[in-house]
Amino acid sequence: MSARRRTATLEGMTNNNDPAVAAARLGDELKSIAGRMSAVSADFEAFTAALARESETPQDADVPPVAATGPQPAPQPQPQPEPQPQLQYATVPPTVGTPFTRQPFGPQSYSVPSYAPQPYPPHPYGSPSYAPRPFPAPPATPAPSLGKRLSDAAERGLVGRVLAAVGVAITLIGIVLLLVLAAQAGLLRPELRVAGGAVFAAALVAVGWRVGRRPEKRPGAVALIATGVAAALLDVLAATAIYGWLPESAALVAGALIGGGGLWSAHRWNSQALALMVSVPLLVFAPVVAGGVDELLVCFMLTYAAATLWLQAGRDWTSLFVVNTVATTLPMTVFVVIGDGPAWFLAVTALTGLALALCSAIMLAPASSRAAVLGLTSVAAAIPLPMIAGQWTAGAGSSTAVIGLGAVLFVVAAVATRGPASVPFVCRVVWLAAGAVLISMALGVALDASTISLGFLAGAVIMGLAARWADDLRGAVRIAATVFAGLGLSSLLETGGAQQLLYPGGLSDSVHATLLVGSLLGLAATMVLAREWGTAAPSRAQQIWLIGGLIGLWLTTELCVGVAGVATGGSATGFRAGHLAATLVWFGSAAAALMWARRLQGASRTLTLATGLSVIAAAVAKLFLFDLAALDGMFRVIAFIVAGLVLLSLGVAYAQRFTSEEPAH
């Protein structure tokens, strides 16, 4: 529509006061604009498709364009788009009662060019779905050269620490050569050798303390101070062991002062390496300077470990604890194997070393990240105890006392350190297990093969009763009690329990008495442990009590036969009477359980009923499989009559119970 016509139309719309006519004209104008926009959109889509086809056409960028040699065709004129017809409307004044109508002039339809959708170009891989292209692997980083690694190690201070440690070892070897080999060769006077070692040690400590005032130089200062302290300790040991200038008590005091005071800088600088550089050389070179393992060396190492104990407070110095424990335990073990010292000295030093290891572990445990290592290392400190007991000539009582005291130390350490902020649980469990092992060793030393079962069963009863007050260690105590009960019952069978049940006679009165007492202890241990395990696992309480009941049947039989054997001197009549009594006890116990089950409800009734029926089945099996052949005369008659009466009574009672519950018709 031309500007003149649009203006005329707008003027006509303005002059016309009818709003319906104006709205109709505006609608026609909007339709015309929409048609033009549709045509422009179709042209843009065609242009985009053409560009896509051109981009897919391969181009040879390396070949220069060749000029055309022939005449070129004249460019064809591009067709011009036809102008879109415009609608023109004439305004017809409406008449009264006639609806408004529009009369268009010109064509009433539009021809909008349509374009067929172009197909997508073929995929270069021949598949309609685009497969991801593989990314090239990143280039491999070359390994750093040896020079680069050495440079990095030097930057981190590793090279300096290695050189310092090697320097400490070589320097102390020189000190040992000065104190020992020079004395053997007579190169210098003894005074010069000892005094020279002391002055040299003091100078190293002084220089190291001065250098260590600057934090960046402390690795070197640590090596200097460690060399000086270790040299001073070896010098004191040489003055006592080689030259005899100091009494042993004075040497121990001097070693404690040098070790505890000289390593004060290790505690202040929080340097475990400094303490290790003293303990490791002392462990290696002290036996050389002392001329072997003797009482002086054992006491000297114990004193050094005790004096450096305060350094570990609040520190995670597990490595130092391990080295110090080995430094005290290894010489003591060697000395026990040699067997030159008195037994009382070995016992006292072994218990002292164990107590020292436990105290060190207790101090380190709250800050340590390796509690299991602490527990196992402190257990290793108890290795000399059973070795001392094996070489003790004063009697089994003394050996038992030594091992028993070691067990008490472990149990006290495990129980007394409980709490949320004390020794971790794993460490205390290890100590409790070590105490249980030492208790079993003490029982093995104190009792012979015929009575050791009594010790194990008594220990099982005590542990089972104590488990209730063990708090978080209740499970560990329960397991230890079960192990003791198993050892006791197996020992009871080996002592003569199987023979007492199968054959009359052949056992002495003392063995019969041992089996009698063992049966009583076994019954007590079985009942206590069944209660404990049933409390710990309520879902399996029925199976636990069933197993306990079967073990109780065997022990009851042992008890009955043992009583008859003691009363009759192990005769055949006593053997048969004991088995008859056992059978009657089995049936009586089963009847009592089944009658008691009638008063219970729910899970308790099910448990009691299952136990009673199991005992009845076992009693009937014993009656037909053993009593029928082993018993004779009146014993067999009584067994069958009583068993039958018990079963009849139970049948009547349970039939009456179920009949009374049936509904009346």
Short mmCIF file of all heavy atoms in Angstrom, two decimals, residues 320-381:
data_model
loop_
_atom_site.label_atom_id
_atom_site.label_comp_id
_atom_site.label_asym_id
_atom_site.label_seq_id
_atom_site.Cartn_x
_atom_site.Cartn_y
_atom_site.Cartn_z
N LEU A 320 59.55 -43.78 68.67
CA LEU A 320 60.45 -43.73 69.82
C LEU A 320 60.04 -44.74 70.88
O LEU A 320 60.89 -45.38 71.51
CB LEU A 320 60.47 -42.31 70.40
CG LEU A 320 61.35 -42.10 71.63
CD1 LEU A 320 62.80 -42.38 71.30
CD2 LEU A 320 61.17 -40.69 72.19
N PHE A 321 58.74 -44.90 71.08
CA PHE A 321 58.26 -45.89 72.05
C PHE A 321 58.69 -47.30 71.65
O PHE A 321 59.12 -48.10 72.49
CB PHE A 321 56.74 -45.79 72.16
CG PHE A 321 56.11 -46.92 72.90
CD1 PHE A 321 56.22 -47.02 74.27
CD2 PHE A 321 55.40 -47.91 72.23
CE1 PHE A 321 55.64 -48.07 74.96
CE2 PHE A 321 54.82 -48.95 72.90
CZ PHE A 321 54.94 -49.03 74.28
N VAL A 322 58.56 -47.62 70.36
CA VAL A 322 58.96 -48.95 69.90
C VAL A 322 60.45 -49.17 70.11
O VAL A 322 60.88 -50.23 70.60
CB VAL A 322 58.57 -49.11 68.42
CG1 VAL A 322 59.11 -50.43 67.86
CG2 VAL A 322 57.05 -49.07 68.25
N VAL A 323 61.27 -48.17 69.75
CA VAL A 323 62.72 -48.33 69.89
C VAL A 323 63.11 -48.46 71.35
O VAL A 323 63.95 -49.31 71.73
CB VAL A 323 63.44 -47.14 69.21
CG1 VAL A 323 64.93 -47.17 69.52
CG2 VAL A 323 63.21 -47.17 67.72
N ASN A 324 62.54 -47.64 72.23
CA ASN A 324 62.88 -47.72 73.66
C ASN A 324 62.44 -49.05 74.27
O ASN A 324 63.13 -49.61 75.13
CB ASN A 324 62.25 -46.56 74.41
CG ASN A 324 62.99 -45.26 74.19
OD1 ASN A 324 64.05 -45.23 73.56
ND2 ASN A 324 62.46 -44.17 74.69
N THR A 325 61.29 -49.56 73.85
CA THR A 325 60.83 -50.85 74.36
C THR A 325 61.75 -51.97 73.92
O THR A 325 62.09 -52.87 74.70
CB THR A 325 59.39 -51.12 73.90
OG1 THR A 325 58.54 -50.04 74.32
CG2 THR A 325 58.87 -52.41 74.50
N VAL A 326 62.18 -51.92 72.67
CA VAL A 326 63.14 -52.93 72.18
C VAL A 326 64.47 -52.79 72.91
O VAL A 326 65.12 -53.79 73.25
CB VAL A 326 63.31 -52.80 70.66
CG1 VAL A 326 64.42 -53.72 70.16
CG2 VAL A 326 62.01 -53.12 69.95
N ALA A 327 64.88 -51.53 73.18
CA ALA A 327 66.16 -51.31 73.86
C ALA A 327 66.16 -51.84 75.28
O ALA A 327 67.23 -52.17 75.82
CB ALA A 327 66.48 -49.81 73.86
N THR A 328 65.01 -51.95 75.91
CA THR A 328 64.95 -52.51 77.27
C THR A 328 64.64 -54.00 77.27
O THR A 328 65.11 -54.74 78.13
CB THR A 328 63.88 -51.77 78.08
OG1 THR A 328 62.62 -51.85 77.41
CG2 THR A 328 64.25 -50.31 78.26
N THR A 329 63.86 -54.48 76.31
CA THR A 329 63.43 -55.88 76.31
C THR A 329 64.49 -56.80 75.70
O THR A 329 64.70 -57.91 76.20
CB THR A 329 62.11 -56.02 75.53
OG1 THR A 329 61.15 -55.12 76.08
CG2 THR A 329 61.57 -57.43 75.63
N LEU A 330 65.14 -56.35 74.63
CA LEU A 330 66.11 -57.23 73.96
C LEU A 330 67.29 -57.59 74.86
O LEU A 330 67.63 -58.79 74.96
CB LEU A 330 66.57 -56.56 72.67
CG LEU A 330 67.49 -57.39 71.78
CD1 LEU A 330 66.81 -58.69 71.36
CD2 LEU A 330 67.90 -56.59 70.54
N PRO A 331 67.97 -56.64 75.52
CA PRO A 331 69.05 -57.07 76.42
C PRO A 331 68.57 -57.97 77.55
O PRO A 331 69.27 -58.91 77.95
CB PRO A 331 69.60 -55.73 76.96
CG PRO A 331 69.19 -54.72 75.98
CD PRO A 331 67.88 -55.18 75.44
N MET A 332 67.37 -57.71 78.06
CA MET A 332 66.84 -58.54 79.14
C MET A 332 66.58 -59.97 78.66
O MET A 332 66.87 -60.95 79.36
CB MET A 332 65.56 -57.92 79.68
CG MET A 332 65.06 -58.48 80.98
SD MET A 332 63.53 -57.66 81.44
CE MET A 332 64.00 -55.93 81.31
N THR A 333 66.04 -60.10 77.45
CA THR A 333 65.79 -61.44 76.90
C THR A 333 67.09 -62.20 76.69
O THR A 333 67.19 -63.40 77.01
CB THR A 333 65.01 -61.31 75.58
OG1 THR A 333 63.82 -60.55 75.80
CG2 THR A 333 64.65 -62.67 75.03
N VAL A 334 68.09 -61.51 76.15
CA VAL A 334 69.40 -62.16 75.96
C VAL A 334 70.00 -62.56 77.29
O VAL A 334 70.57 -63.66 77.44
CB VAL A 334 70.34 -61.21 75.19
CG1 VAL A 334 71.74 -61.80 75.10
CG2 VAL A 334 69.79 -60.93 73.80
N PHE A 335 69.84 -61.71 78.29
CA PHE A 335 70.40 -62.02 79.61
C PHE A 335 69.69 -63.22 80.24
O PHE A 335 70.29 -64.04 80.93
CB PHE A 335 70.28 -60.79 80.50
CG PHE A 335 71.08 -60.88 81.76
CD1 PHE A 335 72.43 -61.17 81.73
CD2 PHE A 335 70.49 -60.68 83.00
CE1 PHE A 335 73.18 -61.25 82.89
CE2 PHE A 335 71.22 -60.77 84.17
CZ PHE A 335 72.58 -61.05 84.10
N VAL A 336 68.37 -63.34 80.00
CA VAL A 336 67.63 -64.50 80.52
C VAL A 336 68.09 -65.77 79.81
O VAL A 336 68.24 -66.83 80.44
CB VAL A 336 66.12 -64.28 80.34
CG1 VAL A 336 65.35 -65.55 80.67
CG2 VAL A 336 65.64 -63.14 81.22
N VAL A 337 68.32 -65.69 78.51
CA VAL A 337 68.78 -66.87 77.77
C VAL A 337 70.17 -67.29 78.25
O VAL A 337 70.46 -68.49 78.39
CB VAL A 337 68.77 -66.57 76.26
CG1 VAL A 337 69.42 -67.72 75.49
CG2 VAL A 337 67.35 -66.34 75.78
N ILE A 338 71.03 -66.30 78.50
CA ILE A 338 72.37 -66.64 78.99
C ILE A 338 72.28 -67.29 80.37
O ILE A 338 72.99 -68.26 80.67
CB ILE A 338 73.25 -65.37 79.04
CG1 ILE A 338 73.47 -64.85 77.62
CG2 ILE A 338 74.58 -65.66 79.70
CD1 ILE A 338 74.19 -63.52 77.57
N GLY A 339 71.40 -66.76 81.23
CA GLY A 339 71.17 -67.36 82.53
C GLY A 339 72.27 -67.12 83.54
O GLY A 339 72.47 -67.95 84.44
N ASP A 340 73.00 -66.01 83.42
CA ASP A 340 74.08 -65.73 84.37
C ASP A 340 73.59 -65.03 85.64
O ASP A 340 74.22 -65.15 86.69
CB ASP A 340 75.15 -64.85 83.70
CG ASP A 340 75.90 -65.62 82.62
OD1 ASP A 340 75.87 -66.86 82.68
OD2 ASP A 340 76.48 -64.98 81.73
N GLY A 341 72.50 -64.28 85.55
CA GLY A 341 72.05 -63.49 86.68
C GLY A 341 71.15 -64.27 87.61
O GLY A 341 70.60 -65.32 87.25
N PRO A 342 70.94 -63.75 88.81
CA PRO A 342 70.02 -64.41 89.75
C PRO A 342 68.58 -64.29 89.27
O PRO A 342 68.21 -63.35 88.56
CB PRO A 342 70.25 -63.65 91.05
CG PRO A 342 70.81 -62.32 90.64
CD PRO A 342 71.59 -62.56 89.39
N ALA A 343 67.76 -65.24 89.68
CA ALA A 343 66.38 -65.29 89.21
C ALA A 343 65.58 -64.10 89.72
O ALA A 343 64.73 -63.56 89.00
CB ALA A 343 65.73 -66.60 89.63
N TRP A 344 65.83 -63.70 90.97
CA TRP A 344 65.06 -62.59 91.51
C TRP A 344 65.37 -61.30 90.75
O TRP A 344 64.46 -60.48 90.52
CB TRP A 344 65.37 -62.40 92.99
CG TRP A 344 66.78 -61.93 93.27
CD1 TRP A 344 67.85 -62.72 93.55
CD2 TRP A 344 67.23 -60.57 93.28
NE1 TRP A 344 68.97 -61.95 93.73
CE2 TRP A 344 68.61 -60.62 93.57
CE3 TRP A 344 66.62 -59.35 93.06
CZ2 TRP A 344 69.40 -59.48 93.66
CZ3 TRP A 344 67.39 -58.20 93.15
CH2 TRP A 344 68.77 -58.27 93.44
N PHE A 345 66.62 -61.12 90.32
CA PHE A 345 66.97 -59.93 89.54
C PHE A 345 66.27 -59.94 88.19
O PHE A 345 65.75 -58.92 87.73
CB PHE A 345 68.49 -59.88 89.36
CG PHE A 345 68.96 -58.77 88.46
CD1 PHE A 345 69.08 -57.47 88.95
CD2 PHE A 345 69.27 -59.00 87.13
CE1 PHE A 345 69.50 -56.44 88.12
CE2 PHE A 345 69.69 -57.98 86.30
CZ PHE A 345 69.81 -56.70 86.81
N LEU A 346 66.24 -61.10 87.55
CA LEU A 346 65.55 -61.21 86.27
C LEU A 346 64.06 -60.92 86.42
O LEU A 346 63.45 -60.24 85.59
CB LEU A 346 65.76 -62.60 85.69
CG LEU A 346 67.21 -62.99 85.35
CD1 LEU A 346 67.26 -64.43 84.89
CD2 LEU A 346 67.78 -62.06 84.31
N ALA A 347 63.46 -61.44 87.48
CA ALA A 347 62.03 -61.23 87.68
C ALA A 347 61.72 -59.76 87.93
O ALA A 347 60.77 -59.19 87.34
CB ALA A 347 61.54 -62.08 88.84
N VAL A 348 62.51 -59.11 88.77
CA VAL A 348 62.26 -57.70 89.09
C VAL A 348 62.45 -56.82 87.86
O VAL A 348 61.63 -55.94 87.56
CB VAL A 348 63.18 -57.26 90.24
CG1 VAL A 348 63.08 -55.75 90.45
CG2 VAL A 348 62.80 -57.98 91.53
N THR A 349 63.54 -57.05 87.12
CA THR A 349 63.79 -56.22 85.94
C THR A 349 62.75 -56.47 84.85
O THR A 349 62.33 -55.54 84.15
CB THR A 349 65.18 -56.50 85.40
OG1 THR A 349 65.36 -57.91 85.21
CG2 THR A 349 66.24 -55.98 86.35
N ALA A 350 62.31 -57.73 84.68
CA ALA A 350 61.29 -58.01 83.66
C ALA A 350 59.97 -57.34 84.00
O ALA A 350 59.31 -56.75 83.13
CB ALA A 350 61.11 -59.52 83.52
N LEU A 351 59.55 -57.41 85.26
CA LEU A 351 58.31 -56.75 85.65
C LEU A 351 58.45 -55.23 85.56
O LEU A 351 57.49 -54.54 85.18
CB LEU A 351 57.93 -57.17 87.07
CG LEU A 351 57.48 -58.63 87.24
CD1 LEU A 351 57.27 -58.95 88.71
CD2 LEU A 351 56.20 -58.89 86.45
N THR A 352 59.64 -54.71 85.89
CA THR A 352 59.86 -53.26 85.77
C THR A 352 59.79 -52.82 84.31
O THR A 352 59.19 -51.78 83.98
CB THR A 352 61.22 -52.88 86.37
OG1 THR A 352 61.27 -53.31 87.73
CG2 THR A 352 61.44 -51.39 86.31
N GLY A 353 60.40 -53.60 83.42
CA GLY A 353 60.31 -53.25 82.00
C GLY A 353 58.89 -53.30 81.46
O GLY A 353 58.49 -52.44 80.66
N LEU A 354 58.11 -54.28 81.91
CA LEU A 354 56.72 -54.36 81.48
C LEU A 354 55.92 -53.17 82.00
O LEU A 354 55.12 -52.56 81.26
CB LEU A 354 56.11 -55.67 81.95
CG LEU A 354 54.62 -55.88 81.64
CD1 LEU A 354 54.36 -55.80 80.15
CD2 LEU A 354 54.14 -57.21 82.21
N ALA A 355 56.10 -52.83 83.27
CA ALA A 355 55.39 -51.68 83.83
C ALA A 355 55.79 -50.39 83.12
O ALA A 355 54.94 -49.53 82.86
CB ALA A 355 55.69 -51.59 85.33
N LEU A 356 57.07 -50.25 82.79
CA LEU A 356 57.53 -49.06 82.08
C LEU A 356 56.91 -48.98 80.69
O LEU A 356 56.49 -47.90 80.23
CB LEU A 356 59.05 -49.08 81.99
CG LEU A 356 59.72 -47.87 81.35
CD1 LEU A 356 59.43 -46.61 82.15
CD2 LEU A 356 61.22 -48.09 81.25
N ALA A 357 56.84 -50.10 79.99
CA ALA A 357 56.23 -50.10 78.66
C ALA A 357 54.75 -49.75 78.73
O ALA A 357 54.23 -48.99 77.88
CB ALA A 357 56.43 -51.47 78.01
N LEU A 358 54.04 -50.28 79.72
CA LEU A 358 52.62 -49.96 79.86
C LEU A 358 52.41 -48.49 80.20
O LEU A 358 51.50 -47.84 79.66
CB LEU A 358 51.99 -50.86 80.93
CG LEU A 358 51.84 -52.34 80.57
CD1 LEU A 358 51.32 -53.13 81.77
CD2 LEU A 358 50.90 -52.51 79.39
N CYS A 359 53.24 -47.95 81.07
CA CYS A 359 53.12 -46.52 81.41
C CYS A 359 53.39 -45.65 80.19
O CYS A 359 52.70 -44.65 79.95
CB CYS A 359 54.07 -46.17 82.54
SG CYS A 359 53.65 -46.89 84.14
N SER A 360 54.40 -46.01 79.41
CA SER A 360 54.70 -45.25 78.20
C SER A 360 53.53 -45.30 77.22
O SER A 360 53.15 -44.29 76.62
CB SER A 360 55.97 -45.79 77.54
OG SER A 360 57.07 -45.72 78.42
N ALA A 361 52.95 -46.50 77.05
CA ALA A 361 51.81 -46.62 76.14
C ALA A 361 50.61 -45.82 76.62
O ALA A 361 49.89 -45.20 75.81
CB ALA A 361 51.44 -48.09 75.98
N ILE A 362 50.37 -45.80 77.91
CA ILE A 362 49.25 -45.04 78.45
C ILE A 362 49.46 -43.54 78.23
O ILE A 362 48.52 -42.80 77.91
CB ILE A 362 49.07 -45.36 79.95
CG1 ILE A 362 48.57 -46.80 80.12
CG2 ILE A 362 48.09 -44.39 80.60
CD1 ILE A 362 48.56 -47.26 81.55
N MET A 363 50.69 -43.07 78.36
CA MET A 363 50.96 -41.65 78.13
C MET A 363 50.85 -41.28 76.66
O MET A 363 50.42 -40.18 76.31
CB MET A 363 52.37 -41.31 78.64
CG MET A 363 52.52 -41.40 80.15
SD MET A 363 54.19 -40.96 80.69
CE MET A 363 54.30 -39.27 80.14
N LEU A 364 51.23 -42.21 75.78
CA LEU A 364 51.22 -41.91 74.35
C LEU A 364 49.85 -42.13 73.70
O LEU A 364 49.56 -41.52 72.67
CB LEU A 364 52.24 -42.79 73.63
CG LEU A 364 53.70 -42.39 73.73
CD1 LEU A 364 54.58 -43.46 73.11
CD2 LEU A 364 53.95 -41.08 73.02
N ALA A 365 49.05 -43.00 74.26
CA ALA A 365 47.82 -43.44 73.59
C ALA A 365 46.86 -42.31 73.25
O ALA A 365 46.30 -42.29 72.14
CB ALA A 365 47.11 -44.50 74.43
N PRO A 366 46.59 -41.33 74.14
CA PRO A 366 45.62 -40.30 73.76
C PRO A 366 46.02 -39.49 72.53
O PRO A 366 45.15 -39.02 71.79
CB PRO A 366 45.57 -39.41 75.02
CG PRO A 366 45.97 -40.30 76.14
CD PRO A 366 47.00 -41.21 75.55
N ALA A 367 47.30 -39.31 72.28
CA ALA A 367 47.76 -38.51 71.14
C ALA A 367 48.26 -39.36 69.99
O ALA A 367 48.62 -38.81 68.95
CB ALA A 367 48.87 -37.55 71.58
N SER A 368 48.29 -40.68 70.15
CA SER A 368 48.87 -41.54 69.12
C SER A 368 47.84 -41.88 68.06
O SER A 368 46.65 -42.04 68.36
CB SER A 368 49.42 -42.82 69.75
OG SER A 368 49.93 -43.68 68.76
N SER A 369 48.31 -41.99 66.84
CA SER A 369 47.45 -42.40 65.72
C SER A 369 47.59 -43.89 65.42
O SER A 369 46.98 -44.38 64.47
CB SER A 369 47.80 -41.59 64.47
OG SER A 369 49.18 -41.76 64.13
N ARG A 370 48.42 -44.61 66.18
CA ARG A 370 48.64 -46.04 65.96
C ARG A 370 48.53 -46.77 67.29
O ARG A 370 49.52 -47.25 67.85
CB ARG A 370 50.01 -46.27 65.31
CG ARG A 370 50.09 -45.77 63.87
CD ARG A 370 51.50 -45.79 63.34
NE ARG A 370 52.31 -44.75 63.92
CZ ARG A 370 53.59 -44.54 63.61
NH1 ARG A 370 54.18 -45.32 62.73
NH2 ARG A 370 54.27 -43.57 64.17
N ALA A 371 47.32 -46.84 67.79
CA ALA A 371 47.10 -47.45 69.10
C ALA A 371 47.39 -48.94 69.08
O ALA A 371 47.87 -49.50 70.07
CB ALA A 371 45.66 -47.20 69.55
N ALA A 372 47.10 -49.61 67.97
CA ALA A 372 47.36 -51.05 67.91
C ALA A 372 48.85 -51.35 68.03
O ALA A 372 49.25 -52.33 68.65
CB ALA A 372 46.81 -51.62 66.60
N VAL A 373 49.68 -50.49 67.44
CA VAL A 373 51.13 -50.68 67.54
C VAL A 373 51.58 -50.52 68.99
O VAL A 373 52.44 -51.26 69.48
CB VAL A 373 51.86 -49.69 66.62
CG1 VAL A 373 53.37 -49.81 66.77
CG2 VAL A 373 51.46 -49.92 65.17
N LEU A 374 50.99 -49.55 69.69
CA LEU A 374 51.33 -49.37 71.11
C LEU A 374 50.98 -50.62 71.92
O LEU A 374 51.77 -51.08 72.75
CB LEU A 374 50.59 -48.16 71.67
CG LEU A 374 50.96 -46.78 71.12
CD1 LEU A 374 50.11 -45.71 71.78
CD2 LEU A 374 52.42 -46.48 71.33
N GLY A 375 49.78 -51.16 71.69
CA GLY A 375 49.37 -52.33 72.44
C GLY A 375 50.25 -53.54 72.17
O GLY A 375 50.69 -54.23 73.09
N LEU A 376 50.54 -53.80 70.90
CA LEU A 376 51.35 -54.97 70.57
C LEU A 376 52.79 -54.81 71.05
O LEU A 376 53.41 -55.79 71.50
CB LEU A 376 51.32 -55.19 69.05
CG LEU A 376 49.96 -55.59 68.46
CD1 LEU A 376 50.02 -55.63 66.95
CD2 LEU A 376 49.51 -56.92 69.01
N THR A 377 53.32 -53.60 70.96
CA THR A 377 54.70 -53.39 71.42
C THR A 377 54.81 -53.56 72.93
O THR A 377 55.78 -54.16 73.44
CB THR A 377 55.18 -51.99 71.02
OG1 THR A 377 55.03 -51.83 69.60
CG2 THR A 377 56.63 -51.78 71.38
N SER A 378 53.84 -53.06 73.67
CA SER A 378 53.87 -53.25 75.11
C SER A 378 53.68 -54.72 75.49
O SER A 378 54.22 -55.18 76.50
CB SER A 378 52.79 -52.39 75.77
OG SER A 378 51.51 -52.67 75.23
N VAL A 379 52.94 -55.47 74.69
CA VAL A 379 52.82 -56.92 74.94
C VAL A 379 54.17 -57.60 74.72
O VAL A 379 54.54 -58.54 75.44
CB VAL A 379 51.73 -57.52 74.03
CG1 VAL A 379 51.78 -59.04 74.06
CG2 VAL A 379 50.37 -57.04 74.47
N ALA A 380 54.94 -57.13 73.74
CA ALA A 380 56.26 -57.72 73.50
C ALA A 380 57.19 -57.54 74.69
O ALA A 380 58.14 -58.32 74.86
CB ALA A 380 56.89 -57.09 72.25
N ALA A 381 56.94 -56.52 75.53
CA ALA A 381 57.76 -56.33 76.72
C ALA A 381 57.58 -57.44 77.74
O ALA A 381 58.40 -57.56 78.66
CB ALA A 381 57.44 -54.98 77.36
#
